[in-house]
Amino acid sequence: MMGRHWRTLSGALRRLASTPLATLVTVSVIGIALSLPAGLYLLLANLGQASNGLEVQPQISLFLKPDAGKDAQRQIEKQLRSHAAIKTFRFVGRDQALKELSAGNGLGDLAAGLPNNPLPDAYIITARENDVAQMDKLRLEVSQWQGVETAELDSAWAKRLNAMLDLGLQLTFILAALLAFGLIAGMGNIIRLQILTRQDEIEVSKLIGATDRFIRLPFLYHGALQGLLGGLAAWAIIAVSAQLLNLNVSRLATLYGSAFQLEGLALGDAAALLGSSAFLGWIGAYLAVSHFLRHFRISHH
Amino acid sequence: MISLSQVSKRYPGGFEALKDISFSIEKGEMVFVSGHSGAGKSTLLNLIAAIEPPSSGSIIINGQNLAQLRPAAVPFLRRNFGLIFQDHKLLYDRNVFDNVMLPLEITGFERSEAAKRTRAALDKVGLLEREKTMPIALSGGEQQRLCIARAIVHRPSILLADEPTGNLDSAYAGEILEMFKSFNQVGVTVLIVTHDERLIERFGARTLHLQHGILA
C-alpha cells in the first residue's frame, strides 16, 4: 500500500516536471499570493518584537489636589516609599513643572501670561512590574489616597501601538483567509484541467473497478505538491525581501541608535506556511475531483 | 452466474433498447449475443457491467442484485469482470506493460506479484516481447490482444467482450476466439457480443439472438 503512495507521489512529480513552464507559473502565482499575508505577518511580528525591545518604562503620574497641603504630601511620600510594587518615584513640584513646560514646548510666552500657575504638584512613579493590568491596579490604588486628585497611566502610546499591531494582525488574517479561498478555487481549476487531460484514464479505471479513492489519489498528490512548492516560493520571496529591506532598515535603525534587523520566518512559522499551503492545494484538488466524479458518467456507447 | 429477469431499458425520449429480457448464464458457460446493430447488444453489456441501470427488471451477478448495490460497491462488482471493448480503450500515455498492470494496481496487488501476473497475461496473448512498446505502435490485432491481456490479468470470473473481432480479418478473428475458448476451458464464464454470424456458426456455442431489443 505504501508502494502505491510512493509511485503516485513520483508520478505527480514527473507530471509537474513534464510541464516545467506551467508548473513554474502556477507555483509563482501561489508563492506571490501566499507571500502577501505571510510577509505582512512577519513585518508585524518584527514590529512587535521591536516595540518590546524599546525598554519603555510605563509611568504613573500622580497629581495632587491644589489644596493637599504639606501633611498629605508627606503621608503620600511615606506610602510611596513603602509600597512593594513601586520601584522609583520622583517629585515634580508645580513651579518646576511650569518651568519645564515653558522651556520644553516653546510655551514660555503663554506661561508668562498666566496670572498664576495652574499646574498641580505631581509624583512620577515607575513600577516593578511592567504588566499593564498590574499597573492599572496600582494606578487605581494610588488615585484613592488622601490628597490625590487623579493618577494617570502613561502607557497609552504602548497600548495604542499594541492595538494597531492587533488590528494589523487581524487584517492579515482576513487577507490570508481571502487568499486561501482564492487558492483553493485556483487549485481546483488547475486540477480540473488536469482531470480533463486524463479523462480516458479515469474512465478506463472506473470500468475496471477503480474506487473513487483510487482515482482521487494522484490528483490529491498533485494539488498538495503544487501547494507545497508554492509555499516554498513564498518562503523564498519573504527571505529575499527581508534581506533587501534590511539594507535600509539597518540604516534607519542606526539613526535611532538601535541594532534592529528584520528577522526572516522562524522555523515553526515556515513549517506552518508550507503545511497550510500544501493543505490548501490538497483541499482544492479534493473538491475538484469529487465534483468531477459526482457528475462523471461512463460514456461507453 | 449472470441472471436477467424481465429486464427493460428505455432511454429518455422513449426509445426502448431492451424489452422484457430474461435469461441466465451458468458458471463456466460460453455464450454469444448476436443481432444487427441497434438491436440492443451493447446496452445489454452496459446493464450487466453496471454501467447503466435497467429501467425495470432485475439483474443478478454472482448472487448480487445490482439494483440493491450501493454506489460504493459497484467498483468491487466490476472486479468480477474482464471487459473487452470494441474500441480497446487503451491508455496511450503508457506502455503495453503498464496498460496491463492497471487492473492489478486498482485491486492493490503487491508490486512484484503484479509484475509476474502481468507478464503471464502478456505471454498468453503473445505480447510478452512487446511489453515496453507504446500501444500506438501496435497493429489493430495487437491492440485487441493487449485489451484482452488487460481484461484477464486479474483473473476475473466473467469475461464480457464487445465485438472483440470487429475490425479483424477472419483468420485473426478465429485466433482471438480460440483464446476466449481456452479461458472458458479453465472455468471463466464468457459472454461475447458480435454481429458476425459466421463466427458463431464456426464455434457452435449457445447464442442469444437480439432483434429490436427482444430476445428471438
Coordinates of all heavy atoms in Angstrom, one line a residue, chain A residues 135-225:
Chain A
M135 N -0.2 47.5 36.5 CA 0.0 48.9 36.6 C -1.3 49.7 36.8 O -1.4 50.6 37.5 CB 0.7 49.5 35.3 CG 2.0 48.8 35.1 SD 3.5 49.9 35.1 CE 3.0 51.5 35.2
D136 N -2.3 49.2 36.1 CA -3.6 49.8 36.2 C -4.2 49.6 37.6 O -4.8 50.5 38.2 CB -4.6 49.2 35.2 CG -5.5 50.3 34.7 OD1 -5.0 51.4 34.3 OD2 -6.8 50.0 34.6
K137 N -3.9 48.5 38.2 CA -4.4 48.2 39.6 C -3.7 49.2 40.5 O -4.3 49.8 41.4 CB -4.0 46.8 40.0 CG -5.2 46.1 40.7 CD -4.8 44.6 41.0 CE -4.1 44.5 42.3 NZ -3.4 43.2 42.4
L138 N -2.4 49.4 40.3 CA -1.6 50.3 41.1 C -2.1 51.7 41.0 O -2.3 52.5 42.0 CB -0.1 50.2 40.7 CG 0.9 51.1 41.5 CD1 0.9 50.8 43.0 CD2 2.3 51.0 40.9
R139 N -2.4 52.1 39.7 CA -2.9 53.4 39.5 C -4.2 53.7 40.2 O -4.3 54.7 40.9 CB -3.2 53.6 38.0 CG -3.6 55.0 37.6 CD -4.2 55.0 36.2 NE -5.4 54.2 36.1 CZ -6.6 54.6 36.5 NH1 -6.8 55.8 37.0 NH2 -7.7 53.8 36.4
L140 N -5.1 52.7 40.2 CA -6.3 52.8 40.9 C -6.1 53.0 42.4 O -6.7 53.9 43.0 CB -7.2 51.6 40.6 CG -8.7 51.8 40.8 CD1 -9.2 52.8 39.8 CD2 -9.4 50.5 40.7
E141 N -5.2 52.2 42.9 CA -4.9 52.3 44.3 C -4.4 53.7 44.8 O -5.0 54.3 45.7 CB -3.9 51.2 44.7 CG -3.7 51.0 46.2 CD -2.5 50.1 46.5 OE1 -2.1 49.3 45.7 OE2 -2.0 50.3 47.6
V142 N -3.4 54.1 44.1 CA -2.8 55.4 44.5 C -3.7 56.6 44.2 O -3.7 57.6 44.9 CB -1.4 55.7 43.8 CG1 -0.4 54.6 44.2 CG2 -1.6 55.8 42.3
S143 N -4.6 56.4 43.3 CA -5.5 57.6 43.0 C -6.5 57.8 44.1 O -7.2 58.8 44.2 CB -6.3 57.3 41.7 OG -7.2 56.3 41.8
Q144 N -6.6 56.8 45.0 CA -7.6 56.9 46.1 C -7.0 57.4 47.4 O -7.7 57.6 48.4 CB -8.3 55.6 46.3 CG -9.5 55.4 45.3 CD -9.8 54.0 45.0 OE1 -9.3 53.1 45.7 NE2 -10.7 53.8 44.1
W145 N -5.7 57.6 47.3 CA -5.1 58.1 48.5 C -5.5 59.6 48.9 O -5.9 60.3 47.9 CB -3.5 58.1 48.4 CG -2.9 56.7 48.4 CD1 -3.6 55.6 48.7 CD2 -1.6 56.4 48.1 NE1 -2.7 54.5 48.6 CE2 -1.5 55.0 48.2 CE3 -0.5 57.1 47.6 CZ2 -0.4 54.2 48.0 CZ3 0.7 56.4 47.4 CH2 0.8 55.0 47.6
Q146 N -5.4 59.9 50.1 CA -5.7 61.2 50.6 C -4.9 62.3 49.9 O -3.7 62.1 49.8 CB -5.4 61.3 52.1 CG -6.0 62.5 52.8 CD -7.5 62.3 53.1 OE1 -7.9 61.3 53.6 NE2 -8.3 63.3 52.7
G147 N -5.6 63.3 49.4 CA -4.9 64.4 48.8 C -4.5 64.2 47.3 O -4.0 65.1 46.7
V148 N -4.9 63.1 46.8 CA -4.6 62.8 45.3 C -5.8 63.2 44.5 O -6.9 62.8 44.8 CB -4.2 61.3 45.1 CG1 -4.1 61.1 43.6 CG2 -3.0 61.0 45.8
E149 N -5.5 64.1 43.5 CA -6.6 64.5 42.6 C -6.9 63.4 41.6 O -8.0 62.9 41.5 CB -6.2 65.8 41.9 CG -7.1 66.2 40.8 CD -8.2 67.0 41.3 OE1 -8.0 68.0 42.0 OE2 -9.4 66.7 41.1
T150 N -5.8 62.9 40.9 CA -6.0 61.9 39.9 C -4.7 61.2 39.6 O -3.6 61.8 39.9 CB -6.6 62.5 38.6 OG1 -6.7 61.5 37.6 CG2 -5.7 63.6 38.1
A151 N -4.7 60.0 39.1 CA -3.5 59.3 38.7 C -3.7 58.8 37.2 O -4.7 58.3 36.9 CB -3.2 58.1 39.6
E152 N -2.6 59.0 36.4 CA -2.8 58.6 35.0 C -1.6 57.6 34.6 O -0.5 57.8 35.1 CB -2.8 59.8 34.1 CG -4.2 60.4 34.0 CD -4.2 61.7 33.3 OE1 -3.2 62.0 32.5 OE2 -5.2 62.4 33.4
L153 N -2.0 56.7 33.8 CA -1.0 55.7 33.4 C -0.5 56.2 32.0 O -1.3 56.4 31.1 CB -1.7 54.3 33.2 CG -0.9 53.1 32.9 CD1 0.2 53.0 34.0 CD2 -1.8 51.9 32.9
D154 N 0.8 56.4 31.9 CA 1.4 56.9 30.7 C 1.7 55.8 29.7 O 2.7 55.9 29.0 CB 2.7 57.7 30.9 CG 2.4 58.8 31.8 OD1 1.2 59.2 31.9 OD2 3.3 59.4 32.4
S155 N 1.0 54.7 29.7 CA 1.3 53.7 28.7 C 0.3 53.7 27.6 O 0.2 52.8 26.8 CB 1.2 52.3 29.4 OG -0.1 52.1 29.9
A156 N -0.4 54.9 27.4 CA -1.4 55.0 26.4 C -0.7 54.7 25.0 O -1.3 54.0 24.2 CB -2.0 56.4 26.4
W157 N 0.5 55.2 24.8 CA 1.1 55.0 23.5 C 1.4 53.6 23.2 O 1.3 53.1 22.1 CB 2.3 55.9 23.3 CG 3.5 55.4 24.0 CD1 3.9 55.8 25.3 CD2 4.5 54.5 23.6 NE1 5.0 55.1 25.7 CE2 5.4 54.3 24.6 CE3 4.7 53.8 22.4 CZ2 6.5 53.5 24.5 CZ3 5.8 53.0 22.3 CH2 6.7 52.8 23.3
A158 N 1.9 52.9 24.3 CA 2.2 51.5 24.1 C 0.9 50.7 23.8 O 0.9 49.8 22.9 CB 2.8 50.9 25.4
K159 N -0.2 51.1 24.5 CA -1.5 50.5 24.2 C -1.9 50.7 22.8 O -2.4 49.8 22.1 CB -2.5 51.0 25.2 CG -2.6 50.3 26.5 CD -3.8 50.9 27.2 CE -4.0 50.3 28.6 NZ -4.9 51.1 29.4
R160 N -1.7 52.0 22.4 CA -2.1 52.3 21.0 C -1.3 51.5 20.0 O -1.9 51.0 19.0 CB -1.9 53.8 20.8 CG -3.1 54.5 20.3 CD -2.9 56.0 20.3 NE -3.0 56.7 21.6 CZ -2.3 57.7 22.0 NH1 -1.3 58.2 21.3 NH2 -2.6 58.2 23.2
L161 N 0.0 51.4 20.2 CA 0.8 50.6 19.3 C 0.4 49.1 19.3 O 0.2 48.5 18.2 CB 2.3 50.6 19.7 CG 3.2 49.8 18.8 CD1 3.3 50.4 17.4 CD2 4.6 49.8 19.4
N162 N 0.1 48.6 20.5 CA -0.4 47.2 20.5 C -1.7 47.0 19.8 O -1.9 46.1 19.1 CB -0.5 46.8 22.0 CG 0.8 46.2 22.5 OD1 1.6 45.7 21.7 ND2 1.1 46.4 23.8
A163 N -2.6 48.0 20.0 CA -3.9 47.9 19.4 C -3.7 48.0 17.8 O -4.4 47.2 17.1 CB -4.8 49.1 19.8
M164 N -2.7 48.8 17.4 CA -2.5 48.9 15.9 C -1.9 47.6 15.4 O -2.3 47.1 14.3 CB -1.6 50.1 15.6 CG -2.5 51.3 15.3 SD -1.6 52.9 15.6 CE -0.5 52.9 14.2
L165 N -1.0 47.0 16.2 CA -0.4 45.8 15.8 C -1.5 44.7 15.7 O -1.6 43.9 14.8 CB 0.7 45.3 16.7 CG 2.0 46.1 16.6 CD1 3.0 45.6 17.6 CD2 2.6 45.9 15.2
D166 N -2.4 44.7 16.7 CA -3.5 43.7 16.7 C -4.4 43.9 15.5 O -4.8 42.9 14.9 CB -4.3 43.9 18.0 CG -3.7 43.3 19.2 OD1 -2.7 42.6 19.0 OD2 -4.1 43.5 20.3
L167 N -4.7 45.2 15.2 CA -5.5 45.5 14.1 C -4.9 45.0 12.8 O -5.5 44.3 11.9 CB -5.8 47.0 14.0 CG -6.7 47.4 12.8 CD1 -8.1 46.9 13.0 CD2 -6.6 49.0 12.7
G168 N -3.5 45.2 12.7 CA -2.8 44.8 11.5 C -2.8 43.3 11.4 O -3.0 42.7 10.3
L169 N -2.7 42.6 12.6 CA -2.7 41.2 12.6 C -4.1 40.6 12.1 O -4.1 39.7 11.3 CB -2.4 40.7 14.0 CG -1.6 39.4 14.1 CD1 -0.3 39.5 13.3 CD2 -1.3 39.1 15.6
Q170 N -5.1 41.3 12.6 CA -6.4 40.9 12.2 C -6.6 41.1 10.7 O -7.2 40.2 10.0 CB -7.4 41.8 12.9 CG -8.7 41.1 13.3 CD -9.4 41.9 14.4 OE1 -9.3 43.1 14.5 NE2 -10.3 41.2 15.2
L171 N -6.2 42.2 10.2 CA -6.3 42.4 8.7 C -5.5 41.4 8.0 O -5.9 40.9 6.9 CB -5.7 43.8 8.4 CG -6.6 45.0 8.7 CD1 -5.9 46.3 8.5 CD2 -7.9 44.9 7.8
T172 N -4.3 41.0 8.5 CA -3.5 40.0 7.9 C -4.3 38.7 7.8 O -4.3 38.0 6.8 CB -2.2 39.8 8.7 OG1 -1.6 41.0 8.8 CG2 -1.3 38.8 7.9
F173 N -5.0 38.3 8.9 CA -5.7 37.1 8.9 C -6.9 37.1 7.9 O -7.2 36.1 7.3 CB -6.2 36.8 10.3 CG -5.1 36.3 11.2 CD1 -4.9 36.8 12.5 CD2 -4.3 35.3 10.8 CE1 -3.9 36.3 13.3 CE2 -3.2 34.8 11.6 CZ -3.0 35.3 12.8
I174 N -7.5 38.3 7.8 CA -8.6 38.4 6.9 C -8.1 38.2 5.5 O -8.6 37.4 4.6 CB -9.4 39.7 7.0 CG1 -10.1 39.8 8.3 CG2 -10.3 40.0 5.8 CD1 -10.7 41.1 8.7
L175 N -7.0 38.9 5.2 CA -6.3 38.8 3.9 C -5.9 37.3 3.6 O -6.2 36.8 2.5 CB -5.1 39.7 3.9 CG -4.3 39.7 2.6 CD1 -5.2 40.5 1.5 CD2 -3.0 40.5 2.8
A176 N -5.4 36.7 4.6 CA -5.0 35.3 4.5 C -6.2 34.4 4.2 O -6.1 33.5 3.3 CB -4.2 34.8 5.7
A177 N -7.3 34.6 4.9 CA -8.5 33.8 4.7 C -9.0 34.0 3.2 O -9.3 33.0 2.6 CB -9.5 34.2 5.7
L178 N -9.0 35.3 2.8 CA -9.5 35.5 1.4 C -8.6 34.8 0.4 O -9.1 34.2 -0.5 CB -9.5 37.0 1.2 CG -10.6 37.8 1.9 CD1 -10.5 39.3 1.6 CD2 -12.0 37.3 1.4
L179 N -7.3 35.0 0.6 CA -6.4 34.4 -0.3 C -6.4 32.9 -0.3 O -6.3 32.2 -1.3 CB -4.9 34.8 -0.1 CG -4.7 36.3 -0.6 CD1 -3.4 36.8 0.0 CD2 -4.6 36.3 -2.1
A180 N -6.7 32.3 0.9 CA -6.9 30.9 1.0 C -8.0 30.4 0.1 O -7.9 29.4 -0.6 CB -7.1 30.5 2.5
F181 N -9.1 31.1 0.2 CA -10.3 30.8 -0.7 C -9.9 30.9 -2.1 O -10.2 30.0 -2.9 CB -11.5 31.7 -0.4 CG -12.4 31.2 0.7 CD1 -12.5 31.9 1.9 CD2 -13.1 30.1 0.5 CE1 -13.3 31.4 2.9 CE2 -14.0 29.6 1.5 CZ -14.0 30.3 2.7
G182 N -9.2 31.9 -2.5 CA -8.7 32.1 -3.8 C -7.8 31.0 -4.3 O -8.0 30.5 -5.4
L183 N -6.9 30.6 -3.4 CA -6.0 29.5 -3.7 C -6.7 28.2 -3.9 O -6.4 27.4 -4.9 CB -5.0 29.3 -2.6 CG -3.8 30.3 -2.7 CD1 -2.8 29.9 -1.6 CD2 -3.1 30.2 -4.1
I184 N -7.7 27.9 -3.1 CA -8.5 26.7 -3.2 C -9.2 26.7 -4.6 O -9.1 25.7 -5.3 CB -9.5 26.5 -2.0 CG1 -8.7 26.2 -0.8 CG2 -10.5 25.4 -2.3 CD1 -9.6 26.2 0.5
A185 N -9.8 27.8 -4.9 CA -10.5 27.9 -6.1 C -9.6 27.7 -7.3 O -9.8 27.0 -8.3 CB -11.3 29.2 -6.2
G186 N -8.4 28.4 -7.2 CA -7.5 28.4 -8.3 C -6.9 27.0 -8.5 O -6.8 26.4 -9.6
M187 N -6.6 26.4 -7.3 CA -6.0 25.0 -7.4 C -7.1 24.0 -8.0 O -6.8 23.2 -8.8 CB -5.6 24.6 -6.0 CG -4.9 23.2 -6.0 SD -3.4 23.2 -7.0 CE -2.3 24.2 -6.1
G188 N -8.3 24.2 -7.6 CA -9.4 23.4 -8.1 C -9.5 23.5 -9.6 O -9.6 22.5 -10.3
N189 N -9.3 24.7 -10.1 CA -9.3 24.9 -11.5 C -8.1 24.2 -12.3 O -8.3 23.6 -13.3 CB -9.3 26.4 -11.9 CG -9.9 26.6 -13.2 OD1 -10.9 26.0 -13.6 ND2 -9.3 27.5 -14.0
I190 N -7.0 24.3 -11.7 CA -5.8 23.7 -12.2 C -6.0 22.1 -12.3 O -5.7 21.5 -13.3 CB -4.5 24.0 -11.4 CG1 -4.1 25.5 -11.6 CG2 -3.4 23.1 -11.8 CD1 -3.2 26.0 -10.6
I191 N -6.5 21.6 -11.2 CA -6.8 20.2 -11.1 C -7.9 19.8 -12.1 O -7.8 18.7 -12.7 CB -7.1 19.7 -9.7 CG1 -5.9 20.0 -8.7 CG2 -7.5 18.3 -9.6 CD1 -4.7 19.2 -9.1
R192 N -8.8 20.7 -12.3 CA -9.9 20.4 -13.2 C -9.3 20.2 -14.6 O -9.7 19.3 -15.4 CB -10.9 21.5 -13.2 CG -12.3 21.2 -13.9 CD -13.2 22.4 -13.7 NE -12.7 23.6 -14.4 CZ -12.7 23.8 -15.7 NH1 -13.3 22.9 -16.5 NH2 -12.2 24.9 -16.2
L193 N -8.4 21.1 -15.0 CA -7.7 20.9 -16.3 C -7.0 19.6 -16.4 O -7.0 18.9 -17.4 CB -6.8 22.1 -16.6 CG -7.5 23.5 -16.7 CD1 -6.5 24.6 -16.8 CD2 -8.5 23.5 -17.8
Q194 N -6.3 19.3 -15.3 CA -5.5 18.0 -15.2 C -6.5 16.8 -15.5 O -6.2 15.9 -16.2 CB -5.0 17.8 -13.8 CG -3.6 18.3 -13.7 CD -2.6 17.4 -14.4 OE1 -2.7 16.2 -14.2 NE2 -1.7 18.0 -15.2
I195 N -7.7 16.9 -14.8 CA -8.6 15.8 -14.9 C -9.1 15.7 -16.4 O -9.2 14.6 -16.9 CB -9.9 16.1 -14.1 CG1 -9.5 16.0 -12.6 CG2 -11.0 15.2 -14.4 CD1 -10.6 16.5 -11.6
L196 N -9.3 16.8 -17.0 CA -9.8 16.8 -18.4 C -8.8 16.1 -19.3 O -9.2 15.3 -20.2 CB -10.1 18.2 -18.9 CG -11.3 18.9 -18.3 CD1 -11.5 20.3 -18.9 CD2 -12.5 18.0 -18.5
T197 N -7.5 16.3 -19.1 CA -6.5 15.7 -19.9 C -6.4 14.2 -19.6 O -5.8 13.4 -20.3 CB -5.1 16.3 -19.8 OG1 -4.6 16.1 -18.5 CG2 -5.1 17.8 -20.1
R198 N -6.9 13.8 -18.4 CA -6.7 12.4 -18.0 C -8.1 11.7 -17.9 O -8.2 10.7 -17.2 CB -6.0 12.3 -16.7 CG -4.6 12.9 -16.8 CD -4.0 12.9 -15.4 NE -3.7 11.6 -14.9 CZ -3.1 11.4 -13.7 NH1 -2.8 12.4 -13.0 NH2 -2.9 10.2 -13.3
Q199 N -9.1 12.2 -18.7 CA -10.4 11.6 -18.6 C -10.5 10.2 -19.1 O -11.2 9.4 -18.5 CB -11.3 12.5 -19.5 CG -12.7 12.7 -18.8 CD -13.4 13.8 -19.5 OE1 -12.9 14.6 -20.2 NE2 -14.7 13.9 -19.2
D200 N -9.7 9.8 -20.1 CA -9.6 8.4 -20.6 C -9.2 7.5 -19.5 O -9.8 6.4 -19.3 CB -8.7 8.3 -21.8 CG -9.2 9.0 -23.0 OD1 -10.4 9.3 -23.0 OD2 -8.4 9.2 -24.0
E201 N -8.2 7.9 -18.8 CA -7.6 7.1 -17.8 C -8.6 6.9 -16.7 O -8.8 5.8 -16.1 CB -6.4 7.8 -17.2 CG -5.7 7.0 -16.1 CD -4.5 7.8 -15.6 OE1 -4.1 8.7 -16.3 OE2 -4.0 7.4 -14.5
I202 N -9.4 8.0 -16.3 CA -10.4 7.8 -15.3 C -11.5 6.9 -15.7 O -11.9 6.0 -15.0 CB -11.0 9.2 -14.9 CG1 -9.9 10.1 -14.3 CG2 -12.2 9.1 -14.0 CD1 -10.3 11.5 -14.1
E203 N -11.9 7.1 -17.0 CA -13.0 6.2 -17.5 C -12.6 4.7 -17.5 O -13.3 3.9 -17.0 CB -13.4 6.6 -18.9 CG -14.6 5.9 -19.4 CD -15.0 6.3 -20.8 OE1 -14.5 7.3 -21.3 OE2 -15.7 5.5 -21.4
V204 N -11.4 4.4 -18.0 CA -11.0 3.1 -18.0 C -10.8 2.5 -16.6 O -11.3 1.4 -16.3 CB -9.6 2.9 -18.8 CG1 -9.0 1.6 -18.6 CG2 -9.8 3.2 -20.3
S205 N -10.3 3.3 -15.7 CA -10.1 2.9 -14.4 C -11.4 2.5 -13.7 O -11.6 1.5 -13.0 CB -9.4 4.0 -13.5 OG -8.1 4.2 -14.1
K206 N -12.4 3.4 -14.0 CA -13.7 3.1 -13.4 C -14.3 1.8 -14.0 O -14.9 1.0 -13.3 CB -14.7 4.3 -13.7 CG -14.4 5.5 -12.8 CD -15.7 6.3 -12.5 CE -16.3 5.8 -11.1 NZ -17.3 6.7 -10.6
L207 N -14.1 1.7 -15.3 CA -14.7 0.5 -15.9 C -14.1 -0.8 -15.4 O -14.7 -1.8 -15.3 CB -14.4 0.5 -17.4 CG -15.4 1.4 -18.2 CD1 -14.9 1.6 -19.7 CD2 -16.8 0.7 -18.2
I208 N -12.8 -0.8 -15.0 CA -12.2 -2.0 -14.5 C -12.2 -2.0 -13.0 O -11.4 -2.8 -12.4 CB -10.8 -2.3 -15.1 CG1 -9.9 -1.1 -14.9 CG2 -11.0 -2.5 -16.6 CD1 -8.6 -1.3 -15.6
G209 N -13.0 -1.2 -12.3 CA -13.2 -1.4 -10.9 C -12.5 -0.6 -10.0 O -12.2 -0.9 -8.8
A210 N -12.0 0.6 -10.4 CA -11.3 1.5 -9.5 C -12.3 2.3 -8.6 O -13.4 2.7 -9.1 CB -10.5 2.6 -10.3
T211 N -12.0 2.4 -7.3 CA -12.8 3.2 -6.4 C -12.5 4.7 -6.7 O -11.5 5.0 -7.2 CB -12.5 2.8 -5.0 OG1 -11.1 3.0 -4.8 CG2 -12.8 1.4 -4.7
D212 N -13.4 5.5 -6.1 CA -13.2 6.9 -6.3 C -11.9 7.3 -5.5 O -11.2 8.2 -6.0 CB -14.4 7.7 -5.7 CG -15.6 7.7 -6.6 OD1 -15.5 7.1 -7.7 OD2 -16.7 8.2 -6.2
R213 N -11.7 6.7 -4.4 CA -10.5 6.9 -3.7 C -9.2 6.7 -4.5 O -8.3 7.5 -4.5 CB -10.4 5.9 -2.5 CG -10.2 6.3 -1.2 CD -10.3 5.1 -0.3 NE -9.0 4.8 0.2 CZ -8.6 5.2 1.4 NH1 -9.3 6.0 2.1 NH2 -7.4 4.9 1.8
F214 N -9.2 5.6 -5.2 CA -8.1 5.3 -6.1 C -7.9 6.4 -7.2 O -6.8 6.8 -7.4 CB -8.3 3.9 -6.8 CG -7.2 3.5 -7.7 CD1 -6.2 2.7 -7.3 CD2 -7.2 3.9 -9.1 CE1 -5.1 2.3 -8.1 CE2 -6.2 3.5 -9.9 CZ -5.2 2.7 -9.4
I215 N -9.0 6.8 -7.7 CA -8.9 7.8 -8.8 C -8.5 9.2 -8.3 O -7.7 9.9 -8.9 CB -10.3 7.9 -9.5 CG1 -10.5 6.6 -10.3 CG2 -10.4 9.1 -10.4 CD1 -11.9 6.5 -10.8
R216 N -8.9 9.4 -7.0 CA -8.6 10.8 -6.4 C -7.2 10.9 -6.1 O -6.6 12.0 -6.2 CB -9.5 10.9 -5.2 CG -10.1 12.3 -5.0 CD -10.9 12.3 -3.7 NE -12.3 12.1 -3.9 CZ -13.0 11.2 -3.2 NH1 -12.5 10.4 -2.3 NH2 -14.3 11.1 -3.5
L217 N -6.5 9.9 -5.6 CA -5.2 10.0 -5.0 C -4.2 10.7 -5.8 O -3.5 11.6 -5.3 CB -4.7 8.6 -4.7 CG -3.5 8.5 -3.7 CD1 -3.9 9.1 -2.4 CD2 -2.9 7.1 -3.5
P218 N -3.9 10.4 -7.1 CA -2.9 11.1 -7.8 C -3.2 12.6 -7.9 O -2.2 13.4 -7.9 CB -2.9 10.5 -9.2 CG -4.1 9.7 -9.3 CD -4.5 9.3 -7.9
F219 N -4.4 13.0 -8.0 CA -4.8 14.4 -8.1 C -4.5 15.1 -6.7 O -4.1 16.3 -6.7 CB -6.2 14.6 -8.5 CG -6.5 14.1 -9.9 CD1 -7.1 12.9 -10.1 CD2 -6.0 14.8 -11.0 CE1 -7.4 12.4 -11.4 CE2 -6.2 14.3 -12.3 CZ -6.9 13.1 -12.5
L220 N -4.8 14.4 -5.7 CA -4.6 15.0 -4.3 C -3.1 15.2 -4.2 O -2.7 16.3 -3.7 CB -5.0 14.0 -3.2 CG -6.5 13.7 -3.2 CD1 -6.9 12.8 -2.0 CD2 -7.3 15.0 -3.1
Y221 N -2.3 14.3 -4.6 CA -0.8 14.5 -4.5 C -0.4 15.7 -5.4 O 0.5 16.5 -5.0 CB -0.1 13.2 -5.0 CG 0.2 12.3 -3.8 CD1 -0.5 11.1 -3.7 CD2 1.1 12.6 -2.9 CE1 -0.3 10.2 -2.7 CE2 1.4 11.7 -1.8 CZ 0.7 10.5 -1.7 OH 0.9 9.7 -0.7
H222 N -1.0 15.7 -6.6 CA -0.6 16.8 -7.5 C -0.9 18.2 -6.8 O -0.1 19.1 -6.8 CB -1.4 16.6 -8.8 CG -1.0 17.5 -9.9 ND1 -0.2 17.0 -10.9 CD2 -1.2 18.8 -10.1 CE1 0.0 18.0 -11.8 NE2 -0.6 19.1 -11.3
G223 N -2.1 18.3 -6.3 CA -2.5 19.5 -5.7 C -1.7 19.9 -4.5 O -1.2 21.0 -4.3
A224 N -1.4 18.9 -3.6 CA -0.6 19.1 -2.4 C 0.8 19.5 -2.8 O 1.4 20.4 -2.2 CB -0.7 17.9 -1.5
L225 N 1.4 18.8 -3.8 CA 2.7 19.1 -4.2 C 2.8 20.5 -4.7 O 3.8 21.3 -4.4 CB 3.1 18.2 -5.3 CG 4.0 17.0 -4.9 CD1 4.3 16.1 -6.1 CD2 5.3 17.5 -4.2

